[in-house]
Amino acid sequence: MAPVVGGGAAGETFHKVNFAAPRSFATAFKSDLKETLFPDDPFHDFKGKPLPIKAKKALQYFVPIFEWLPKYTRKLFMYDLLAGITIASLAIPQGISYAKLANIPPIIGLYSSFVPPLIYSVFGSSKHLAVGTVAASSLIIAATIEAKVNPIENPQLYLNLVFTATLISGVTQLILGVFRLGILVDFLSHSTITGFMGGTATLICLQQLKGIFGLKHFTTHTDMVSVIRVILKNRKEIRWESTVVGVVFLVFLQFTRFVKQKKPKLFWVSAIAPMVVVVTGCVFAYVAHVEKHGIAIVGDLKKGINPSSLKNLDFDPKYLSAPIQAGLVTAMIALAEGIAIGRSFAIMENQQIDGNKEMIAFGLMNIIGSFTSCYLTTGPFSKTAVNYNAGCKTQMANVVMSICMMLTLFFLAPLFSYTPLVALSAIIMSAMLGLIEYDKAYHLYKTDKFDFIICMAAFFGVAFISMDVGLMLSVGLALLRALLYVARPASSKLGNIPDTSVYRDMEQYPGAIDIPKTLILQLGSPIYFANSGYLRERILRWVRDEQVKKASEGDDVEHVILDFGGVTSIDITGVETLVEIRRSLEVRDIKVVIVNPRLEVMEKLIVTNFIDKIGKERVFLSIEDAIEGCNFSLTPQKECGSEES
Amino acid sequence: MAPVVGGGAAGETFHKVNFAAPRSFATAFKSDLKETLFPDDPFHDFKGKPLPIKAKKALQYFVPIFEWLPKYTRKLFMYDLLAGITIASLAIPQGISYAKLANIPPIIGLYSSFVPPLIYSVFGSSKHLAVGTVAASSLIIAATIEAKVNPIENPQLYLNLVFTATLISGVTQLILGVFRLGILVDFLSHSTITGFMGGTATLICLQQLKGIFGLKHFTTHTDMVSVIRVILKNRKEIRWESTVVGVVFLVFLQFTRFVKQKKPKLFWVSAIAPMVVVVTGCVFAYVAHVEKHGIAIVGDLKKGINPSSLKNLDFDPKYLSAPIQAGLVTAMIALAEGIAIGRSFAIMENQQIDGNKEMIAFGLMNIIGSFTSCYLTTGPFSKTAVNYNAGCKTQMANVVMSICMMLTLFFLAPLFSYTPLVALSAIIMSAMLGLIEYDKAYHLYKTDKFDFIICMAAFFGVAFISMDVGLMLSVGLALLRALLYVARPASSKLGNIPDTSVYRDMEQYPGAIDIPKTLILQLGSPIYFANSGYLRERILRWVRDEQVKKASEGDDVEHVILDFGGVTSIDITGVETLVEIRRSLEVRDIKVVIVNPRLEVMEKLIVTNFIDKIGKERVFLSIEDAIEGCNFSLTPQKECGSEES
């Protein structure tokens, strides 16, 4: 077995600390860059392979369809066919609904489920992700562009700007992916996303009250206060016919969701429920001439597949700020959602999803989408879950859905023109109610108060101010916490666990034993400008407290041992602070000893001459060695370095 | 001696991990709050003392004069008298010069060296800090307020806004101090300050070319490009008489600085040099009637001490944004400079300076200053160094300087009205040249490239764009780096150092020995939302690489041991990531074992049920215990937890 030989108390000879010369700047920089941008080492398979295989692997890496299509079998196709049809039946009502939410013609919603899934199936690496439009991004686009152009007065310009926003969003995603800036998405924490989704879902639900109540007048503002105020103001416009139909549909949809929750096998009930609502609505509208009873219908859906929208892209500087803003915000949110979802399904199946590659796929999908009359698409959770449950095996399910949509566009589109708006509102509302995760918020409250605050900041910011403000508020708080984490790193006093060579936090392990004449402190986190002031104060306070404690026992502090094992990096200000700490303590006749600096920290300590100043004989490999070393120096007073620099 | 019994290879019994119930939220929050705001535990002296002593100590704490004045002796006063007179001789020329830089009447500069030092001597805790006006803040105030009000066309309104900015700056400092937000100053790193000071000094030097060349027309912009362009444009206005006088003064001043550098004992030569220049200039101006030769003089200095400026404070909303901006920016910079300087002198004498208390002193000094016709003051480096070298012992030196200023205001002020502006320009320029620290920038370049970039961002941002932009750019970069530090924490593979129970980074210690069937990883930093994605990728990559390596040796990875000793905290996203990592690895028949979670991390792991999920038998106190534990489980396959949760 392994050479686990116990106890390093080896008398006079200590184990050697590695004082090798630091790596060159180029080496260290290359290594840092790799860790920052390629933590998953995507090209590890390529090493040492001949060039043709490398080229083939690279092609398969960048265009995953070359990897899965050659291995594709008829059996797999049967699974994907079923899954594809299922998600298509969801895509039609969702496409129409979310297009209404974005204030664009409903046919655009159908177009958006035809081209982008095809692109994703070529470039995408997730097997389960189903492509489609999402409510949150639809609302963000609408809210941002409405601020510049009124969609009712100037629908064509409005639509053009939506395509432009989609292009900008796609380009942003592509750039982020190519430059491997997936790290940016890391800064959207789960708590932020939970709160943001909940807040957006609440807003969207409120927006749907327009459809449910059959209101004619509404507000272009999205915040809760404005929406509730406008509903109260126009309460006399509320049509009971519309309200009754809406509530019936909503109850039906919620019931099917309930069925799915109770019996996950029956997921298809809730998957086809929106289609059932739309078809029932259409038939009902056609038979009962509901328009005459104050129930509006979608109206006017032309046959035929996506026309080109290249000429529609509008870069007029007068309006450009709106699509840029909408494009950037939706790019980030769509990415965060899409990557998180793809990843969570991948984990179930133990695959690995490369977030940066997904970004490239999403980017291409939206760029080509914006040329072919599609608006923003991503991988929505609801659709992906249905796809997964329906048994999809590869990206082919997206191709099947795409073909279904093509057939719909060629032959069935006009039929859907009878869809009552109230049915769409009920579909959206039902989907949104599922996105408000009370239990997750409660879990956060129970386990981490600060995460809960971050979540609530997003929720209330979105609900009462605006979506971007809510998002920024929450991300700002999360970053503040991250900075506080590193600005106030925990340090602790270590003691010896009896009968071992192990030293642990004395607060955590009250049985640990103090070492006479010595204070052992464990540091953690990187030491750098934002926490070095704190660390100086804190270490001096540890020493002061320990002096008082030891004095009461007739003892004294002669050595401070700093355990650097947990310190991952250090900057110039950090090194200067160490110099100051040492100077402050030496004045009081206390010697500073350093234990186990890690590779990067050691390099910085050598290059700044700190090691020379403190003396190599004051740096030890382990706490045990350090204590031995300090004890030897007690008598001769010189071995542990009394020379000053 | 301490019970340093070597080697914990104690057979079947492992050392116990502490799974005690987490602290309550209130306890943890209180402890966090204390660490965040009171890291130096300022009230540690108060514990267990009777009430009257507590009250006395509190008074002495908040108003330090009650601490040092009762112990004050005549001998100390002799030192302080000399130091006070020395800094007064520096304060007169500096006060007039910097007031000119801020475009306010020169007498305000003298007023500002009378009242604020008195206030500081009561509330300030640094013994060496000398109060006075500073060039950088003077220029910031001028640049910000000039953007709203022209100081030549409307001097009274301009002056009123300067007082208002001083008040706002003081209130900001007071609030930051009372709420102990000294942590904010921590975010100005040494690199930022070096670059900012260098950039500002360069700008100020360029501004002085107006005075040296005797130009009549100049620009209100402060950036390098504008200033150089205006000088080239007005090059025909350059007066050779003024230029010659200016260069002579500048050479003299620089020579005295050179003398001080060579012989630190002769510091007084450079300390009184500005006074010599002013007096020489006055005599020369009076005798030679220099006004007629194109050399402007200060002109018009009234006798008498500070009038009240309470009625001058102007809160007109039309202009208010300018003093608010100037106040906030100067408050932060003045604080950072003042605290850093006070602290560096305190370290030499082994005292401790409480940054938050200094903020309160600075705040009170500026608030009362703004009521008594003073503008922004702080603790400038040059003056404090002179004070320290002149042998000051207590805050009394500031009182002496203040009295000298009072006498000057009563009797000598009119004499200084003959000071040629070119002398002031030479004094400012000479002071600024000393603030450009080439060698420090070179040191940064040599030791830390990123710190160098942060420094250069401040320098070039200030020099070519504007002071606030340069500062924000640099602070932004520094924060980005801080976030990257925690977003990409170093992890390393550990191996056993032969003949010890110590495990160290195998890259750093190539002699360390691999453990069969096991991969030991050391993590570091807090684990939280911004780095959990990275950590998952990185850990899976470590495992993949290790599998390849072990496979080539006919071995396999059966256990992954995660050393949590360096992890200072963890959030919900971090715990969820651990769950994901565990699930990914269990699928591949690799067991995850955790070693030595610290107090705060253990609490979070217990409260989120992670410990229950993974099983208590998979958490060990040391790596050695963990290896022992895993080996035992190899044969019976159950002891090391094969149950799933």
Side-chain angles (χ1 to χ4, degrees):
Chain A
M1 249 318 292
V4 190
V5 183
E12 280 95 67
T13 56
F14 302 119
H15 306 291
K16 269 188 203 151
V17 178
N18 184 355
F19 292 111
R23 297 168 296 176
S24 73
F25 173 67
T27 317
F29 184 73
K30 206 177 139 193
S31 153
D32 284 354
L33 208 64
K34 182 173 174 189
E35 289 304 323
T36 306
L37 302 179
F38 299 92
D40 54 345
D41 192 15
F43 304 112
H44 64 98
D45 251 7
F46 291 31
K47 272 171 215 146
K49 298 271 161 63
L51 196 65
I53 296 196
K54 261 191 191 164
K56 192 181 150 206
K57 280 203 178 273
L59 187 67
Q60 288 180 342
Y61 176 79
F62 287 111
V63 191
I65 195 170
F66 287 110
E67 205 194 329
W68 61 265
L69 199 58
K71 302 179 210 155
Y72 202 64
T73 63
R74 204 171 143 178
K75 197 176 157 204
L76 287 176
F77 180 68
M78 297 316 291
Y79 283 105
D80 286 336
L81 182 66
L82 184 69
I85 293 172
T86 313
I87 52 175
S89 80
L90 189 63
I92 296 167
Q94 274 192 352
I96 299 174
S97 309
Y98 295 156
K100 273 313 249 187
L101 192 60
N103 286 323
I104 53 178
I107 193 81
I108 304 290
L110 299 182
Y111 291 160
S112 301
S113 292
F114 170 45
V115 174
L118 283 179
I119 312 292
Y120 185 81
S121 64
V122 174
F123 296 102
S125 50
S126 165
K127 295 187 171 162
H128 306 116
L129 194 126
V131 170
T133 55
V134 278
S137 299
S138 303
L139 187 63
I140 291 174
I141 290 182
T144 318
I145 296 180
E146 264 178 9
K148 285 269 177 184
V149 177
N150 187 317
I152 296 160
E153 288 168 12
N154 207 341
Q156 191 57 48
L157 176 60
Y158 180 87
L159 180 60
N160 293 351
L161 292 179
V162 170
F163 290 143
T164 314
T166 306
L167 177 64
I168 291 168
S169 191
V171 171
T172 310
Q173 293 172 328
L174 186 67
I175 291 173
L176 291 177
V178 168
F179 289 99
R180 299 193 63 87
L181 296 175
I183 186 173
L184 287 180
V185 173
D186 287 351
F187 285 102
L188 296 175
S189 70
H190 289 200
S191 314
T192 297
I193 292 178
T194 305
F196 180 78
M197 285 294 163
T200 315
T202 309
L203 286 192
I204 296 174
C205 279
L206 283 174
Q207 294 271 323
Q208 299 321 309
L209 292 179
K210 182 192 178 193
I212 301 267
F213 290 154
L215 295 179
K216 290 243 165 68
H217 296 94
F218 212 65
T219 168
T220 58
H221 291 283
T222 55
D223 64 296
M224 262 173 101
V225 176
S226 308
V227 172
I228 291 176
R229 188 183 293 151
V230 81
I231 291 174
L232 291 178
K233 195 177 140 205
N234 299 325
R235 61 189 176 279
K236 289 194 182 144
E237 281 184 10
I238 295 176
R239 303 293 297 246
W240 67 267
E241 302 94 327
S242 176
T243 311
V244 166
V245 175
V247 169
V248 168
F249 282 149
L250 189 59
V251 168
F252 168 72
L253 287 165
Q254 285 299 93
F255 175 73
T256 63
R257 294 178 70 88
F258 177 75
V259 168
K260 186 187 78 178
Q261 265 175 20
K262 288 287 149 191
K263 300 222 167 200
K265 285 257 165 191
L266 297 179
F267 73 91
W268 56 267
V269 173
S270 89
I272 62 157
M275 197 66 187
V276 171
V277 165
V278 165
V279 171
T280 316
C282 284
V283 172
F284 177 66
Y286 185 75
V287 173
H289 296 287
V290 291
E291 315 90 278
K292 292 176 189 160
H293 300 90
I295 298 179
I297 60 171
V298 166
D300 198 29
L301 284 174
K302 266 182 276 173
K303 275 187 193 180
I305 57 163
N306 308 20
S308 159
S309 58
L310 266 176
K311 285 187 186 153
N312 295 44
L313 296 173
D314 187 330
F315 299 97
D316 186 340
K318 203 170 145 198
Y319 308 110
L320 197 58
S321 67
I324 286 179
Q325 193 192 341
L328 292 180
V329 175
T330 53
M332 288 302 292
I333 293 170
L335 273 178
E337 200 190 351
I339 290 175
I341 289 166
R343 200 150 61 186
S344 55
F345 284 99
I347 284 170
M348 289 191 207
E349 301 270 300
N350 196 30
Q351 300 161 356
Q352 212 162 335
I353 294 288
D354 178 345
N356 291 303
K357 243 168 76 186
E358 285 291 278
M359 286 198 193
I360 297 178
F362 283 7
L364 290 173
M365 178 168 106
N366 283 316
I367 291 171
I368 299 175
S370 74
F371 299 158
T372 55
S373 303
C374 303
Y375 83 109
L376 194 79
T377 47
T378 176
F381 184 78
S382 56
K383 227 172 175 177
T384 305
V386 168
N387 198 22
Y388 181 78
N389 286 322
C392 77
K393 294 292 172 202
T394 67
Q395 290 88 325
M396 187 59 88
N398 277 312
V399 178
V400 172
M401 168 173 78
S402 188
I403 292 169
C404 292
M405 291 310 294
M406 187 182 71
L407 297 175
T408 307
L409 286 168
F410 271 132
F411 305 111
L412 304 174
L415 297 182
F416 290 110
S417 60
Y418 285 97
T419 319
L421 292 187
V422 61
L424 299 181
S425 291
I427 290 170
I428 297 179
M429 216 164 171
S430 168
M432 290 304 115
L433 288 175
L435 288 183
I436 308 177
E437 302 176 275
Y438 312 95
D439 46 343
K440 190 151 183 195
Y442 181 72
H443 177 69
L444 287 179
Y445 175 75
K446 272 285 158 200
T447 51
D448 196 323
K449 302 286 186 284
F450 207 107
D451 262 318
F452 178 72
I453 293 173
I454 290 170
C455 175
M456 288 298 109
F459 182 86
F460 288 106
V462 167
F464 289 101
I465 309 173
S466 79
M467 277 180 284
D468 348 6
V469 172
L471 190 66
M472 279 190 280
L473 200 66
S474 177
V475 170
L477 273 176
L479 289 184
L480 182 71
R481 181 198 207 183
L483 289 173
L484 271 182
Y485 264 154
V486 285
R488 295 290 183 256
S491 55
S492 46
K493 181 189 161 190
L494 303 186
N496 181 247
I497 303 277
D499 305 326
T500 69
S501 59
V502 171
Y503 292 79
R504 291 292 176 263
D505 183 358
M506 292 189 67
E507 193 187 346
Q508 193 178 5
Y509 295 95
I513 298 168
D514 229 349
I515 310 295
K517 302 205 180 298
T518 308
L519 169 65
I520 310 172
L521 292 179
Q522 181 180 35
L523 308 179
S525 298
I527 298 181
Y528 69 117
F529 70 93
N531 64 23
S532 54
Y534 164 76
L535 269 178
R536 184 187 42 235
E537 303 295 330
R538 194 65 186 84
I539 289 175
L540 295 181
R541 185 174 131 209
W542 277 117
V543 173
R544 209 170 53 209
D545 291 351
E546 185 70 10
Q547 281 179 320
V548 171
K549 181 179 163 284
K550 284 224 158 63
S552 71
E553 295 163 359
D555 193 11
D556 188 18
V557 179
E558 294 186 354
H559 290 94
V560 172
I561 298 179
L562 298 177
D563 180 1
F564 268 59
V567 178
T568 41
S569 45
I570 193 165
D571 77 348
I572 295 292
T573 313
V575 177
E576 284 171 8
T577 303
L578 286 183
V579 174
E580 286 176 12
I581 291 172
R582 178 171 166 264
R583 203 183 296 148
S584 290
L585 291 180
E586 303 267 321
V587 173
R588 305 182 207 170
D589 273 331
I590 298 173
K591 298 200 168 33
V592 176
V593 167
I594 283 179
V595 168
N596 187 26
R598 288 164 81 147
L599 186 58
E600 211 184 310
V601 176
M602 184 63 107
E603 284 177 0
K604 200 54 64 63
L605 293 182
I606 291 176
V607 97
T608 51
N609 296 324
F610 181 77
I611 295 288
D612 291 342
K613 273 184 207 156
I614 195 176
K616 283 187 182 177
E617 65 283 0
R618 296 247 204 125
V619 183
F620 294 92
L621 190 63
S622 69
I623 296 177
E624 216 179 349
D625 283 359
I627 290 174
E628 289 274 328
C630 293
N631 284 333
F632 281 116
S633 74
L634 282 184
T635 353
Q637 272 291 1
K638 263 193 179 157
E639 218 161 319
C640 201
S642 60
E643 83 291 358
E644 291 303 290
S645 58
Chain B
M1 244 312 291
V4 190
V5 183
E12 278 96 64
T13 55
F14 301 119
H15 306 291
K16 268 190 205 149
V17 178
N18 184 357
F19 291 111
R23 297 169 296 177
S24 74
F25 173 68
T27 317
F29 184 74
K30 205 176 140 194
S31 151
D32 284 355
L33 207 66
K34 182 174 174 187
E35 288 304 322
T36 307
L37 302 179
F38 298 92
D40 55 342
D41 191 15
F43 305 112
H44 66 97
D45 251 7
F46 291 30
K47 273 172 215 146
K49 300 269 161 65
L51 196 66
I53 296 196
K54 262 189 191 164
K56 192 183 150 204
K57 277 203 179 273
L59 187 68
Q60 289 181 340
Y61 176 79
F62 288 110
V63 191
I65 197 171
F66 288 110
E67 206 195 326
W68 60 264
L69 199 56
K71 303 179 208 155
Y72 201 66
T73 61
R74 203 172 143 177
K75 197 179 158 203
L76 288 175
F77 180 69
M78 296 316 291
Y79 283 106
D80 286 337
L81 181 67
L82 185 68
I85 293 171
T86 313
I87 52 176
S89 79
L90 189 63
I92 296 167
Q94 274 192 353
I96 298 175
S97 308
Y98 296 156
K100 270 317 245 187
L101 192 60
N103 286 322
I104 53 178
I107 193 82
I108 304 290
L110 298 183
Y111 290 161
S112 302
S113 293
F114 171 45
V115 174
L118 284 180
I119 312 292
Y120 185 82
S121 64
V122 174
F123 296 103
S125 51
S126 165
K127 293 188 173 159
H128 307 117
L129 195 124
V131 171
T133 55
V134 278
S137 298
S138 303
L139 187 62
I140 292 174
I141 290 181
T144 318
I145 296 180
E146 264 178 8
K148 287 266 177 184
V149 176
N150 188 319
I152 296 159
E153 288 168 12
N154 206 342
Q156 190 56 49
L157 176 60
Y158 179 87
L159 180 60
N160 292 352
L161 292 178
V162 171
F163 290 144
T164 314
T166 305
L167 176 64
I168 291 169
S169 191
V171 170
T172 310
Q173 292 172 329
L174 185 66
I175 291 174
L176 290 176
V178 169
F179 290 98
R180 299 195 63 87
L181 297 174
I183 185 173
L184 287 180
V185 173
D186 286 352
F187 285 102
L188 296 175
S189 70
H190 289 200
S191 314
T192 297
I193 292 177
T194 305
F196 180 80
M197 285 294 164
T200 316
T202 309
L203 286 193
I204 295 174
C205 279
L206 283 173
Q207 294 271 324
Q208 300 321 310
L209 293 178
K210 181 191 178 195
I212 301 267
F213 290 155
L215 295 179
K216 289 244 166 66
H217 296 93
F218 213 64
T219 169
T220 58
H221 292 282
T222 56
D223 64 295
M224 264 175 97
V225 176
S226 309
V227 172
I228 292 177
R229 187 183 294 151
V230 81
I231 290 173
L232 291 179
K233 196 178 140 204
N234 299 326
R235 60 188 176 280
K236 291 192 181 145
E237 282 186 10
I238 295 176
R239 300 293 297 248
W240 68 266
E241 300 94 330
S242 176
T243 311
V244 167
V245 175
V247 170
V248 167
F249 281 149
L250 190 59
V251 167
F252 168 70
L253 287 165
Q254 285 299 93
F255 174 73
T256 62
R257 295 177 69 87
F258 176 77
V259 167
K260 185 187 77 177
Q261 265 173 19
K262 288 288 149 191
K263 302 222 166 200
K265 286 256 167 191
L266 296 178
F267 74 92
W268 57 268
V269 173
S270 90
I272 61 157
M275 198 64 187
V276 171
V277 165
V278 166
V279 171
T280 316
C282 284
V283 171
F284 177 64
Y286 184 77
V287 174
H289 296 286
V290 293
E291 315 93 276
K292 293 178 189 160
H293 301 90
I295 298 179
I297 59 170
V298 166
D300 198 27
L301 285 173
K302 264 182 277 175
K303 274 188 193 178
I305 59 163
N306 307 19
S308 160
S309 58
L310 264 176
K311 284 189 187 154
N312 295 43
L313 296 172
D314 187 331
F315 299 98
D316 186 341
K318 200 170 146 197
Y319 308 111
L320 197 59
S321 66
I324 287 180
Q325 194 193 338
L328 292 180
V329 174
T330 51
M332 289 302 292
I333 293 170
L335 272 178
E337 200 190 352
I339 290 176
I341 290 166
R343 200 150 63 186
S344 55
F345 284 98
I347 284 171
M348 289 191 209
E349 299 271 298
N350 196 29
Q351 300 161 356
Q352 213 162 335
I353 293 290
D354 178 344
N356 291 302
K357 242 167 76 185
E358 284 293 278
M359 286 198 195
I360 296 178
F362 283 6
L364 290 172
M365 179 167 106
N366 283 316
I367 292 173
I368 298 173
S370 73
F371 300 158
T372 54
S373 303
C374 303
Y375 83 109
L376 196 78
T377 46
T378 176
F381 184 78
S382 55
K383 228 172 175 178
T384 305
V386 168
N387 198 22
Y388 180 78
N389 286 322
C392 77
K393 295 291 173 203
T394 67
Q395 289 89 325
M396 187 60 87
N398 276 311
V399 178
V400 172
M401 166 173 77
S402 190
I403 292 167
C404 292
M405 291 311 292
M406 188 183 71
L407 296 175
T408 306
L409 285 168
F410 271 132
F411 304 111
L412 304 174
L415 297 182
F416 291 110
S417 60
Y418 284 97
T419 319
L421 292 186
V422 63
L424 300 181
S425 292
I427 291 170
I428 297 180
M429 216 164 171
S430 168
M432 291 304 115
L433 287 174
L435 288 182
I436 308 177
E437 301 174 277
Y438 313 95
D439 47 342
K440 190 154 184 193
Y442 181 73
H443 177 68
L444 287 179
Y445 175 77
K446 273 284 158 202
T447 51
D448 195 323
K449 301 285 185 285
F450 207 109
D451 262 318
F452 179 70
I453 293 173
I454 290 171
C455 175
M456 288 297 108
F459 182 86
F460 287 106
V462 167
F464 289 102
I465 309 173
S466 80
M467 276 180 282
D468 349 8
V469 172
L471 190 65
M472 279 190 280
L473 200 68
S474 177
V475 170
L477 272 176
L479 290 183
L480 182 71
R481 181 198 207 181
L483 289 173
L484 271 182
Y485 265 154
V486 284
R488 295 288 183 258
S491 55
S492 47
K493 180 187 161 190
L494 303 186
N496 180 247
I497 303 278
D499 305 325
T500 69
S501 58
V502 171
Y503 293 79
R504 290 292 176 262
D505 184 358
M506 292 187 67
E507 193 188 343
Q508 193 178 3
Y509 294 96
I513 297 168
D514 229 349
I515 310 295
K517 302 205 181 298
T518 309
L519 169 64
I520 310 171
L521 293 179
Q522 181 180 34
L523 309 179
S525 296
I527 299 181
Y528 69 116
F529 70 92
N531 64 22
S532 56
Y534 164 77
L535 269 178
R536 184 185 44 235
E537 303 294 331
R538 194 65 187 87
I539 289 176
L540 295 181
R541 185 174 131 208
W542 276 118
V543 172
R544 211 170 53 210
D545 291 351
E546 185 70 10
Q547 280 179 320
V548 171
K549 181 178 163 283
K550 283 223 157 62
S552 72
E553 295 163 358
D555 192 10
D556 188 18
V557 179
E558 293 183 359
H559 290 94
V560 172
I561 298 178
L562 299 178
D563 180 1
F564 268 59
V567 178
T568 40
S569 46
I570 192 164
D571 77 348
I572 296 290
T573 313
V575 177
E576 284 170 9
T577 303
L578 286 183
V579 174
E580 287 175 11
I581 292 171
R582 179 171 165 264
R583 204 186 292 147
S584 292
L585 291 179
E586 302 267 319
V587 173
R588 305 181 206 171
D589 274 330
I590 298 172
K591 296 199 171 37
V592 176
V593 167
I594 284 180
V595 168
N596 187 25
R598 287 163 82 146
L599 186 58
E600 211 185 310
V601 176
M602 183 63 107
E603 284 177 358
K604 201 52 67 61
L605 293 181
I606 292 176
V607 96
T608 52
N609 295 324
F610 181 78
I611 294 289
D612 292 342
K613 274 185 205 152
I614 196 176
K616 284 188 181 175
E617 65 284 0
R618 297 247 204 126
V619 183
F620 294 92
L621 189 64
S622 69
I623 296 176
E624 215 180 351
D625 283 359
I627 290 173
E628 290 274 327
C630 294
N631 284 335
F632 281 116
S633 74
L634 282 185
T635 355
Q637 272 291 359
K638 261 189 181 161
E639 218 163 318
C640 200
S642 59
E643 83 294 354
E644 290 304 290
S645 56

